[in-house]
Amino acid sequence: MVARTHEPGLKQAHFRTAGLPALLLLPQLLILLFFFFIPSIRALMQAFLLADPFGATVHFVGFDNFKALFESESYRNSIWITVQFTLAQNILTIVVALILAFATDRVVRFQSAYKGVILLPYAIAPVIAGVMWAFLFNPAVGPVAFLIKSFGIAWDPNRNGGDAMLLVVLAASWKHICYDYIFLVAGLLAVPRSLMEAAAVDGAGPIKRFFQIALPLLGPTLFFLTTMNFVYGFFETFAIIDAVTHGGPAGATNILVYKVYQDGFINLDLGSSAAQSVLLMSFALLLTLLQFKYVERKVNYSI
Amino acid sequence: MVERSPILTAICHLILIGGIVLVCLPLYFAFIAGSLTMQEVQQVPMPWLPGTHFLENVATAWSKVNFGQLLVNSFIVSIGITVGKVAISLLSAFAITYFRFRFRLLAFWLIFMSLMLPVEVRIVPTYESVANAALPIQWIIDGLNLSGLWETLTGYHVEIALEWNMLNTYQGLILPLIASASATFLFRQFFLTVPEELLEAARLDGASAMRFFWTILLPLSRSNIVALSIILFLYGWNQYLWPLLFTTDKDMATAVIGVKNLIPRSDTEPAWNVAMSGALLTMLPPVLVVLVMQRWFVRGLVDSSK
């Protein structure tokens, strides 16, 4: 039966059978049930329970796991490390991407060749990006480390926490600049030409136009990219940390998502790990809500 | 460009060349290191030109971590993720946009919620779910005390213990990564823009719902499917955390994990040359996909994050 009634998110011409859509939705809902809802609910439950590593005894402890977390020096350290890491990564990524996007927008010749190469790191796995940067900066064999040392600067990411942090920030940014770049190039392309021409007639040079016209118009894009960079920094950089520093030296690069993994799988402290998962989940939720605000603005891209 | 300013254009070219150098520097040194012998790679400073041992190093990597098998696994897993996610997303997007039924909004919100939490934040519980996917069913059996019921009915004592272990299996590597609704939303948005008249016309011609889906909706979605598939293929190929946790059997790991196992540690021989050749080999398929299908890739990326 085709009926015509209006309901949000539903086609005006639609079917009214009930059995078929249930069947169509079944695979998606089953997978979500097993690998999304059940694990999420279990994380919530475990966060309020205390269990020994072998699961023999379990009892309800309320907010004790959370309290213990905030009292532990290593967790507070991990929060601080994560803030430093994500902020540095975010700023470096977005500034470099903006400069490259601005330059791409100005050139005509070789434009697609430049774009093609700058996009490449998107295809490369974070762990491989990590391996390559770890090699460049390896104090024993790395060519860049050699260069640094030849200037008389001490460099050893295996011992010095600051060096290690710098290294993972560089590797993480290198991998993610291309993502911001794609969106910024698209955003600059969408800036109305007439605006730019009018400003040029009024005597505004290219740099001034960029800061006074293009940048404000890119505002929503920059907002979106900032949240996406935080999502990336918080969750997806796990592989880089694991390949390059293992969270070390002495916890200097032990970001939150790496600590969840370490406490859950290496120290087998499931309650604490689950409480950390729940905190990360709330944070992820916050970031998603921020993203929805962006989606509401309905920014239009066309490439 | 609004006006001509050759100096600024030249500066822009320089900036972009700088960007290219930045992108290529790690790749170039990875290639050099991958083509040297282990003694040559130890030299300080390292040679600036590639050596002649690349294939040799690939062969070493191949035998050291069984790379051939790992590459096959990577292909199976990333194609499984791509096909699986596209298929279930198309069907469920079709269901929530083209059917009016009682629990439509509920289904919509259940799917919608999964967008909010990335996989990485529920590592441990998802691991448990994959280690024994039958556990929830076990809870139901225990909760309803089915074995007690059986005992009172028949007099026999029966323990019901279910186990469905997906560790070290392809489905264990694939299924948890399909569990997110991003693709469903992409298709939903697209279906909402399809002209209403198409369904009405198809109805007049007597087409059933599934026939409409196969002969009209699916061909219309082709370009969206291609763009999304590229993104999903890269996503699947470059997965790290899942394969790391779910594969204890070395031959079930993926190529990316193989590279990780080749990285020299302080207590192993510094075989950076082998590690780099493995890294280059592993990044080749996704890099080729991005180079060959650049337009689609950019479109998929912009679409899938809307």
Short mmCIF file of all heavy atoms in Angstrom, two decimals, chain A residues 22-82:
data_model
loop_
_atom_site.label_atom_id
_atom_site.label_comp_id
_atom_site.label_asym_id
_atom_site.label_seq_id
_atom_site.Cartn_x
_atom_site.Cartn_y
_atom_site.Cartn_z
N ALA A 22 10.78 -5.08 9.64
CA ALA A 22 11.40 -5.75 10.80
C ALA A 22 12.51 -6.68 10.33
O ALA A 22 13.60 -6.71 10.90
CB ALA A 22 10.34 -6.52 11.58
N LEU A 23 12.22 -7.39 9.24
CA LEU A 23 13.19 -8.31 8.68
C LEU A 23 14.43 -7.56 8.17
O LEU A 23 15.57 -7.98 8.35
CB LEU A 23 12.53 -9.09 7.54
CG LEU A 23 13.09 -10.48 7.24
CD1 LEU A 23 12.82 -11.39 8.42
CD2 LEU A 23 12.46 -11.01 5.97
N LEU A 24 14.18 -6.41 7.53
CA LEU A 24 15.27 -5.61 6.97
C LEU A 24 16.15 -5.03 8.06
O LEU A 24 17.36 -4.89 7.90
CB LEU A 24 14.72 -4.47 6.11
CG LEU A 24 13.98 -4.85 4.84
CD1 LEU A 24 13.32 -3.63 4.22
CD2 LEU A 24 14.94 -5.48 3.85
N LEU A 25 15.53 -4.68 9.18
CA LEU A 25 16.28 -4.07 10.27
C LEU A 25 17.02 -5.09 11.11
O LEU A 25 17.94 -4.76 11.84
CB LEU A 25 15.33 -3.28 11.18
CG LEU A 25 14.91 -1.90 10.67
CD1 LEU A 25 13.75 -1.38 11.48
CD2 LEU A 25 16.08 -0.93 10.76
N LEU A 26 16.57 -6.36 11.02
CA LEU A 26 17.09 -7.38 11.92
C LEU A 26 18.62 -7.47 11.95
O LEU A 26 19.20 -7.42 13.05
CB LEU A 26 16.46 -8.74 11.57
CG LEU A 26 16.63 -9.79 12.66
CD1 LEU A 26 15.86 -9.39 13.90
CD2 LEU A 26 16.16 -11.15 12.16
N PRO A 27 19.30 -7.58 10.81
CA PRO A 27 20.76 -7.73 10.91
C PRO A 27 21.43 -6.56 11.63
O PRO A 27 22.27 -6.76 12.51
CB PRO A 27 21.23 -7.79 9.45
CG PRO A 27 20.04 -7.77 8.59
CD PRO A 27 18.82 -7.64 9.41
N GLN A 28 21.04 -5.35 11.26
CA GLN A 28 21.64 -4.18 11.91
C GLN A 28 21.38 -4.19 13.42
O GLN A 28 22.30 -3.98 14.22
CB GLN A 28 21.04 -2.91 11.29
CG GLN A 28 21.38 -1.65 12.04
CD GLN A 28 22.50 -0.87 11.38
OE1 GLN A 28 22.37 -0.38 10.27
NE2 GLN A 28 23.60 -0.76 12.08
N LEU A 29 20.14 -4.44 13.81
CA LEU A 29 19.81 -4.38 15.23
C LEU A 29 20.49 -5.50 16.00
O LEU A 29 20.95 -5.30 17.13
CB LEU A 29 18.30 -4.43 15.43
CG LEU A 29 17.57 -3.16 14.96
CD1 LEU A 29 16.06 -3.29 15.16
CD2 LEU A 29 18.09 -1.93 15.69
N LEU A 30 20.59 -6.70 15.40
CA LEU A 30 21.26 -7.80 16.09
C LEU A 30 22.72 -7.46 16.35
O LEU A 30 23.23 -7.66 17.45
CB LEU A 30 21.18 -9.07 15.25
CG LEU A 30 19.97 -9.96 15.51
CD1 LEU A 30 20.08 -11.23 14.67
CD2 LEU A 30 19.90 -10.33 16.99
N ILE A 31 23.38 -6.95 15.33
CA ILE A 31 24.80 -6.61 15.49
C ILE A 31 24.97 -5.52 16.53
O ILE A 31 25.85 -5.57 17.39
CB ILE A 31 25.41 -6.23 14.13
CG1 ILE A 31 25.63 -7.50 13.34
CG2 ILE A 31 26.71 -5.49 14.31
CD1 ILE A 31 26.37 -7.31 12.07
N LEU A 32 24.08 -4.53 16.48
CA LEU A 32 24.16 -3.46 17.49
C LEU A 32 23.93 -4.03 18.88
O LEU A 32 24.61 -3.66 19.84
CB LEU A 32 23.14 -2.37 17.20
CG LEU A 32 23.48 -1.41 16.07
CD1 LEU A 32 22.39 -0.37 15.92
CD2 LEU A 32 24.80 -0.72 16.36
N LEU A 33 22.97 -4.95 19.00
CA LEU A 33 22.68 -5.53 20.32
C LEU A 33 23.91 -6.23 20.88
O LEU A 33 24.33 -5.96 22.00
CB LEU A 33 21.51 -6.52 20.19
CG LEU A 33 21.18 -7.27 21.48
CD1 LEU A 33 20.52 -6.33 22.47
CD2 LEU A 33 20.28 -8.46 21.22
N PHE A 34 24.52 -7.09 20.06
CA PHE A 34 25.63 -7.89 20.58
C PHE A 34 26.91 -7.08 20.76
O PHE A 34 27.64 -7.30 21.71
CB PHE A 34 25.91 -9.07 19.62
CG PHE A 34 25.07 -10.25 19.92
CD1 PHE A 34 23.82 -10.39 19.36
CD2 PHE A 34 25.52 -11.23 20.80
CE1 PHE A 34 23.03 -11.48 19.64
CE2 PHE A 34 24.73 -12.31 21.10
CZ PHE A 34 23.48 -12.45 20.52
N PHE A 35 27.19 -6.17 19.86
CA PHE A 35 28.49 -5.53 19.90
C PHE A 35 28.43 -4.06 20.27
O PHE A 35 29.43 -3.39 20.31
CB PHE A 35 29.21 -5.71 18.57
CG PHE A 35 29.39 -7.15 18.23
CD1 PHE A 35 28.65 -7.73 17.22
CD2 PHE A 35 30.28 -7.92 18.94
CE1 PHE A 35 28.80 -9.07 16.92
CE2 PHE A 35 30.44 -9.26 18.66
CZ PHE A 35 29.69 -9.83 17.65
N PHE A 36 27.22 -3.56 20.52
CA PHE A 36 27.16 -2.18 21.00
C PHE A 36 26.41 -2.07 22.33
O PHE A 36 26.97 -1.64 23.33
CB PHE A 36 26.52 -1.27 19.96
CG PHE A 36 26.40 0.14 20.44
CD1 PHE A 36 27.50 0.97 20.43
CD2 PHE A 36 25.21 0.61 20.96
CE1 PHE A 36 27.41 2.25 20.91
CE2 PHE A 36 25.12 1.90 21.44
CZ PHE A 36 26.23 2.72 21.42
N PHE A 37 25.15 -2.51 22.35
CA PHE A 37 24.36 -2.28 23.56
C PHE A 37 24.83 -3.13 24.72
O PHE A 37 25.06 -2.63 25.82
CB PHE A 37 22.87 -2.49 23.27
CG PHE A 37 22.29 -1.37 22.46
CD1 PHE A 37 21.98 -1.55 21.13
CD2 PHE A 37 22.11 -0.13 23.03
CE1 PHE A 37 21.48 -0.50 20.38
CE2 PHE A 37 21.60 0.92 22.29
CZ PHE A 37 21.29 0.74 20.96
N ILE A 38 25.00 -4.43 24.48
CA ILE A 38 25.43 -5.30 25.59
C ILE A 38 26.79 -4.86 26.14
O ILE A 38 26.93 -4.67 27.35
CB ILE A 38 25.38 -6.78 25.17
CG1 ILE A 38 23.92 -7.20 25.02
CG2 ILE A 38 26.08 -7.66 26.19
CD1 ILE A 38 23.73 -8.59 24.49
N PRO A 39 27.81 -4.65 25.28
CA PRO A 39 29.09 -4.19 25.85
C PRO A 39 28.98 -2.86 26.60
O PRO A 39 29.58 -2.70 27.66
CB PRO A 39 29.99 -4.03 24.63
CG PRO A 39 29.40 -4.86 23.59
CD PRO A 39 27.93 -4.92 23.84
N SER A 40 28.19 -1.91 26.06
CA SER A 40 28.09 -0.62 26.74
C SER A 40 27.44 -0.78 28.10
O SER A 40 27.89 -0.20 29.09
CB SER A 40 27.29 0.37 25.89
OG SER A 40 27.87 0.50 24.63
N ILE A 41 26.36 -1.59 28.15
CA ILE A 41 25.68 -1.78 29.43
C ILE A 41 26.60 -2.49 30.42
O ILE A 41 26.66 -2.15 31.60
CB ILE A 41 24.37 -2.56 29.22
CG1 ILE A 41 23.39 -1.69 28.44
CG2 ILE A 41 23.76 -3.00 30.54
CD1 ILE A 41 22.21 -2.43 27.88
N ARG A 42 27.37 -3.45 29.90
CA ARG A 42 28.28 -4.16 30.78
C ARG A 42 29.36 -3.24 31.32
O ARG A 42 29.77 -3.36 32.48
CB ARG A 42 28.92 -5.32 30.07
CG ARG A 42 28.03 -6.53 30.07
CD ARG A 42 28.60 -7.51 29.14
NE ARG A 42 29.18 -8.63 29.84
CZ ARG A 42 29.86 -9.59 29.20
NH1 ARG A 42 30.07 -9.48 27.91
NH2 ARG A 42 30.33 -10.59 29.87
N ALA A 43 29.83 -2.33 30.50
CA ALA A 43 30.84 -1.38 30.99
C ALA A 43 30.25 -0.57 32.13
O ALA A 43 30.90 -0.36 33.16
CB ALA A 43 31.30 -0.46 29.86
N LEU A 44 28.99 -0.15 31.94
CA LEU A 44 28.32 0.61 32.99
C LEU A 44 28.23 -0.21 34.27
O LEU A 44 28.50 0.28 35.37
CB LEU A 44 26.91 1.00 32.55
CG LEU A 44 26.79 2.34 31.84
CD1 LEU A 44 25.36 2.55 31.39
CD2 LEU A 44 27.21 3.46 32.78
N MET A 45 27.82 -1.49 34.13
CA MET A 45 27.67 -2.34 35.31
C MET A 45 29.00 -2.56 36.01
O MET A 45 29.12 -2.39 37.22
CB MET A 45 27.06 -3.69 34.92
CG MET A 45 25.55 -3.62 34.78
SD MET A 45 24.82 -5.05 33.95
CE MET A 45 25.87 -6.38 34.42
N GLN A 46 30.02 -2.90 35.20
CA GLN A 46 31.32 -3.19 35.80
C GLN A 46 31.91 -1.99 36.52
O GLN A 46 32.65 -2.13 37.48
CB GLN A 46 32.30 -3.65 34.72
CG GLN A 46 32.16 -5.11 34.39
CD GLN A 46 32.96 -5.47 33.16
OE1 GLN A 46 33.53 -4.61 32.51
NE2 GLN A 46 33.00 -6.74 32.86
N ALA A 47 31.56 -0.80 36.03
CA ALA A 47 32.12 0.39 36.64
C ALA A 47 31.69 0.53 38.10
O ALA A 47 32.37 1.15 38.90
CB ALA A 47 31.71 1.63 35.86
N PHE A 48 30.56 -0.09 38.43
CA PHE A 48 30.06 0.01 39.80
C PHE A 48 30.30 -1.27 40.60
O PHE A 48 29.78 -1.43 41.68
CB PHE A 48 28.57 0.36 39.78
CG PHE A 48 28.32 1.71 39.17
CD1 PHE A 48 27.90 1.83 37.87
CD2 PHE A 48 28.54 2.87 39.91
CE1 PHE A 48 27.69 3.07 37.30
CE2 PHE A 48 28.33 4.11 39.35
CZ PHE A 48 27.91 4.22 38.04
N LEU A 49 31.07 -2.19 40.01
CA LEU A 49 31.35 -3.44 40.70
C LEU A 49 32.84 -3.57 40.98
O LEU A 49 33.66 -2.95 40.31
CB LEU A 49 30.92 -4.63 39.85
CG LEU A 49 29.45 -4.74 39.49
CD1 LEU A 49 29.26 -5.88 38.50
CD2 LEU A 49 28.60 -4.96 40.72
N LEU A 50 33.18 -4.38 41.96
CA LEU A 50 34.58 -4.68 42.19
C LEU A 50 34.76 -6.18 42.04
O LEU A 50 34.09 -6.96 42.70
CB LEU A 50 35.00 -4.25 43.60
CG LEU A 50 36.50 -4.29 43.86
CD1 LEU A 50 37.22 -3.24 43.04
CD2 LEU A 50 36.80 -4.10 45.33
N ALA A 51 35.63 -6.58 41.10
CA ALA A 51 35.85 -8.00 40.88
C ALA A 51 37.33 -8.29 40.94
O ALA A 51 38.14 -7.45 40.56
CB ALA A 51 35.30 -8.42 39.52
N ASP A 52 37.70 -9.47 41.41
CA ASP A 52 39.10 -9.84 41.33
C ASP A 52 39.37 -10.31 39.91
O ASP A 52 38.45 -10.61 39.15
CB ASP A 52 39.43 -10.94 42.36
CG ASP A 52 38.70 -12.20 42.07
OD1 ASP A 52 37.46 -12.20 42.27
OD2 ASP A 52 39.32 -13.17 41.63
N PRO A 53 40.67 -10.34 39.50
CA PRO A 53 40.98 -10.62 38.09
C PRO A 53 40.39 -11.92 37.57
O PRO A 53 40.20 -12.07 36.36
CB PRO A 53 42.51 -10.69 38.08
CG PRO A 53 42.92 -9.84 39.23
CD PRO A 53 41.85 -9.98 40.27
N PHE A 54 40.09 -12.89 38.42
CA PHE A 54 39.59 -14.16 37.92
C PHE A 54 38.07 -14.22 37.94
O PHE A 54 37.47 -15.22 37.58
CB PHE A 54 40.20 -15.31 38.71
CG PHE A 54 41.69 -15.24 38.73
CD1 PHE A 54 42.37 -14.77 39.85
CD2 PHE A 54 42.43 -15.57 37.60
CE1 PHE A 54 43.74 -14.66 39.84
CE2 PHE A 54 43.80 -15.46 37.58
CZ PHE A 54 44.46 -15.01 38.71
N GLY A 55 37.43 -13.14 38.39
CA GLY A 55 35.98 -13.08 38.36
C GLY A 55 35.31 -13.97 39.38
O GLY A 55 34.12 -14.29 39.27
N ALA A 56 36.05 -14.42 40.39
CA ALA A 56 35.45 -15.35 41.36
C ALA A 56 34.50 -14.61 42.31
O ALA A 56 33.41 -15.10 42.60
CB ALA A 56 36.54 -16.05 42.16
N THR A 57 34.89 -13.45 42.78
CA THR A 57 34.00 -12.71 43.67
C THR A 57 33.71 -11.34 43.05
O THR A 57 34.58 -10.70 42.50
CB THR A 57 34.64 -12.49 45.05
OG1 THR A 57 35.86 -11.78 44.85
CG2 THR A 57 34.89 -13.78 45.76
N VAL A 58 32.47 -10.93 43.15
CA VAL A 58 32.06 -9.64 42.60
C VAL A 58 31.14 -8.99 43.62
O VAL A 58 30.25 -9.64 44.15
CB VAL A 58 31.27 -9.83 41.29
CG1 VAL A 58 30.84 -8.49 40.73
CG2 VAL A 58 32.09 -10.59 40.28
N HIS A 59 31.35 -7.74 43.94
CA HIS A 59 30.33 -7.07 44.72
C HIS A 59 30.18 -5.61 44.34
O HIS A 59 31.08 -4.99 43.78
CB HIS A 59 30.55 -7.25 46.23
CG HIS A 59 31.92 -6.82 46.67
ND1 HIS A 59 32.99 -7.67 46.67
CD2 HIS A 59 32.36 -5.62 47.11
CE1 HIS A 59 34.05 -7.03 47.09
NE2 HIS A 59 33.71 -5.78 47.37
N PHE A 60 29.01 -5.08 44.68
CA PHE A 60 28.65 -3.74 44.29
C PHE A 60 29.40 -2.72 45.14
O PHE A 60 29.41 -2.82 46.36
CB PHE A 60 27.14 -3.56 44.46
CG PHE A 60 26.65 -2.22 44.03
CD1 PHE A 60 26.51 -1.93 42.67
CD2 PHE A 60 26.33 -1.24 44.95
CE1 PHE A 60 26.06 -0.69 42.26
CE2 PHE A 60 25.88 0.01 44.54
CZ PHE A 60 25.75 0.27 43.19
N VAL A 61 30.04 -1.74 44.49
CA VAL A 61 30.82 -0.79 45.28
C VAL A 61 30.43 0.67 45.02
O VAL A 61 31.13 1.58 45.44
CB VAL A 61 32.34 -0.94 45.03
CG1 VAL A 61 32.83 -2.25 45.59
CG2 VAL A 61 32.66 -0.81 43.56
N GLY A 62 29.33 0.88 44.29
CA GLY A 62 28.90 2.26 44.05
C GLY A 62 29.92 3.05 43.27
O GLY A 62 30.47 2.57 42.28
N PHE A 63 30.21 4.25 43.75
CA PHE A 63 31.12 5.13 43.02
C PHE A 63 32.57 4.94 43.44
O PHE A 63 33.41 5.76 43.09
CB PHE A 63 30.70 6.59 43.19
CG PHE A 63 29.51 6.94 42.34
CD1 PHE A 63 28.23 6.88 42.86
CD2 PHE A 63 29.69 7.30 41.01
CE1 PHE A 63 27.13 7.19 42.07
CE2 PHE A 63 28.60 7.60 40.21
CZ PHE A 63 27.32 7.55 40.75
N ASP A 64 32.87 3.87 44.20
CA ASP A 64 34.23 3.68 44.70
C ASP A 64 35.27 3.65 43.58
O ASP A 64 36.35 4.23 43.72
CB ASP A 64 34.32 2.38 45.51
CG ASP A 64 33.72 2.58 46.89
OD1 ASP A 64 33.15 3.66 47.11
OD2 ASP A 64 33.82 1.67 47.72
N ASN A 65 34.93 2.95 42.47
CA ASN A 65 35.88 2.87 41.36
C ASN A 65 36.23 4.26 40.84
O ASN A 65 37.38 4.54 40.52
CB ASN A 65 35.31 2.03 40.22
CG ASN A 65 35.39 0.55 40.52
OD1 ASN A 65 36.32 0.09 41.17
ND2 ASN A 65 34.39 -0.20 40.07
N PHE A 66 35.21 5.12 40.75
CA PHE A 66 35.44 6.47 40.24
C PHE A 66 36.27 7.28 41.23
O PHE A 66 37.16 8.03 40.86
CB PHE A 66 34.11 7.17 39.95
CG PHE A 66 33.36 6.54 38.83
CD1 PHE A 66 32.40 5.57 39.07
CD2 PHE A 66 33.63 6.91 37.52
CE1 PHE A 66 31.72 4.99 38.01
CE2 PHE A 66 32.94 6.33 36.46
CZ PHE A 66 31.99 5.37 36.72
N LYS A 67 35.91 7.11 42.52
CA LYS A 67 36.64 7.86 43.55
C LYS A 67 38.11 7.47 43.54
O LYS A 67 39.01 8.32 43.55
CB LYS A 67 36.03 7.58 44.94
CG LYS A 67 35.41 8.83 45.54
CD LYS A 67 34.54 8.56 46.75
CE LYS A 67 35.27 8.03 47.95
NZ LYS A 67 34.29 7.54 48.97
N ALA A 68 38.34 6.14 43.46
CA ALA A 68 39.72 5.66 43.44
C ALA A 68 40.47 6.24 42.24
O ALA A 68 41.64 6.61 42.34
CB ALA A 68 39.74 4.14 43.38
N LEU A 69 39.76 6.35 41.11
CA LEU A 69 40.40 6.89 39.91
C LEU A 69 40.90 8.31 40.13
O LEU A 69 42.03 8.65 39.83
CB LEU A 69 39.39 6.92 38.76
CG LEU A 69 39.35 5.74 37.82
CD1 LEU A 69 38.39 6.05 36.69
CD2 LEU A 69 40.72 5.47 37.28
N PHE A 70 39.98 9.15 40.64
CA PHE A 70 40.36 10.55 40.75
C PHE A 70 41.37 10.77 41.86
O PHE A 70 42.05 11.78 41.89
CB PHE A 70 39.12 11.42 40.94
CG PHE A 70 38.39 11.59 39.65
CD1 PHE A 70 37.18 10.97 39.42
CD2 PHE A 70 38.96 12.35 38.63
CE1 PHE A 70 36.54 11.11 38.20
CE2 PHE A 70 38.32 12.50 37.42
CZ PHE A 70 37.10 11.87 37.20
N GLU A 71 41.46 9.79 42.78
CA GLU A 71 42.48 9.93 43.81
C GLU A 71 43.84 9.44 43.33
O GLU A 71 44.86 9.77 43.92
CB GLU A 71 42.05 9.16 45.07
CG GLU A 71 41.08 9.97 45.90
CD GLU A 71 40.32 9.12 46.89
OE1 GLU A 71 40.69 7.95 47.10
OE2 GLU A 71 39.35 9.65 47.47
N SER A 72 43.83 8.61 42.25
CA SER A 72 45.11 8.03 41.85
C SER A 72 45.93 9.03 41.05
O SER A 72 45.44 9.70 40.13
CB SER A 72 44.89 6.75 41.04
OG SER A 72 44.87 7.05 39.68
N GLU A 73 47.19 9.10 41.44
CA GLU A 73 48.13 10.03 40.81
C GLU A 73 48.24 9.74 39.32
O GLU A 73 48.22 10.63 38.49
CB GLU A 73 49.50 9.85 41.50
CG GLU A 73 50.55 10.86 41.12
CD GLU A 73 50.17 12.27 41.55
OE1 GLU A 73 49.57 12.42 42.66
OE2 GLU A 73 50.47 13.20 40.80
N SER A 74 48.29 8.43 38.95
CA SER A 74 48.55 8.08 37.56
C SER A 74 47.37 8.48 36.67
O SER A 74 47.57 8.85 35.52
CB SER A 74 48.84 6.59 37.43
OG SER A 74 47.68 5.84 37.66
N TYR A 75 46.14 8.44 37.21
CA TYR A 75 45.00 8.83 36.39
C TYR A 75 44.99 10.33 36.16
O TYR A 75 44.75 10.80 35.06
CB TYR A 75 43.68 8.36 37.01
CG TYR A 75 42.52 8.48 36.04
CD1 TYR A 75 42.44 7.64 34.94
CD2 TYR A 75 41.53 9.44 36.20
CE1 TYR A 75 41.41 7.74 34.04
CE2 TYR A 75 40.49 9.55 35.30
CZ TYR A 75 40.44 8.69 34.22
OH TYR A 75 39.42 8.80 33.32
N ARG A 76 45.26 11.07 37.23
CA ARG A 76 45.28 12.53 37.05
C ARG A 76 46.39 12.93 36.10
O ARG A 76 46.23 13.81 35.25
CB ARG A 76 45.45 13.21 38.41
CG ARG A 76 44.14 13.21 39.20
CD ARG A 76 44.21 14.18 40.33
NE ARG A 76 45.36 13.90 41.18
CZ ARG A 76 45.34 13.83 42.50
NH1 ARG A 76 44.20 14.03 43.13
NH2 ARG A 76 46.40 13.58 43.20
N ASN A 77 47.52 12.22 36.22
CA ASN A 77 48.62 12.46 35.28
C ASN A 77 48.16 12.18 33.86
O ASN A 77 48.43 12.95 32.94
CB ASN A 77 49.80 11.56 35.66
CG ASN A 77 50.90 11.61 34.64
OD1 ASN A 77 51.36 12.69 34.28
ND2 ASN A 77 51.30 10.46 34.14
N SER A 78 47.42 11.07 33.69
CA SER A 78 46.97 10.68 32.36
C SER A 78 46.02 11.73 31.77
O SER A 78 46.08 12.03 30.57
CB SER A 78 46.28 9.32 32.45
OG SER A 78 45.80 8.94 31.21
N ILE A 79 45.15 12.31 32.62
CA ILE A 79 44.25 13.36 32.14
C ILE A 79 45.07 14.55 31.64
O ILE A 79 44.86 15.05 30.54
CB ILE A 79 43.30 13.83 33.26
CG1 ILE A 79 42.34 12.72 33.65
CG2 ILE A 79 42.50 15.06 32.81
CD1 ILE A 79 41.41 13.11 34.78
N TRP A 80 46.03 14.94 32.43
CA TRP A 80 46.87 16.10 32.08
C TRP A 80 47.63 15.84 30.78
O TRP A 80 47.69 16.69 29.89
CB TRP A 80 47.81 16.39 33.26
CG TRP A 80 48.80 17.50 33.03
CD1 TRP A 80 50.14 17.45 33.27
CD2 TRP A 80 48.55 18.81 32.52
NE1 TRP A 80 50.73 18.63 32.93
CE2 TRP A 80 49.78 19.49 32.48
CE3 TRP A 80 47.39 19.47 32.09
CZ2 TRP A 80 49.91 20.79 32.02
CZ3 TRP A 80 47.52 20.78 31.63
CH2 TRP A 80 48.76 21.42 31.60
N ILE A 81 48.19 14.62 30.66
CA ILE A 81 48.92 14.23 29.45
C ILE A 81 47.99 14.31 28.24
O ILE A 81 48.35 14.82 27.17
CB ILE A 81 49.44 12.78 29.60
CG1 ILE A 81 50.47 12.68 30.71
CG2 ILE A 81 49.97 12.26 28.30
CD1 ILE A 81 51.78 13.27 30.37
N THR A 82 46.75 13.80 28.41
CA THR A 82 45.80 13.78 27.30
C THR A 82 45.46 15.20 26.86
O THR A 82 45.37 15.48 25.66
CB THR A 82 44.52 13.04 27.71
OG1 THR A 82 44.88 11.81 28.30
CG2 THR A 82 43.64 12.78 26.51
#
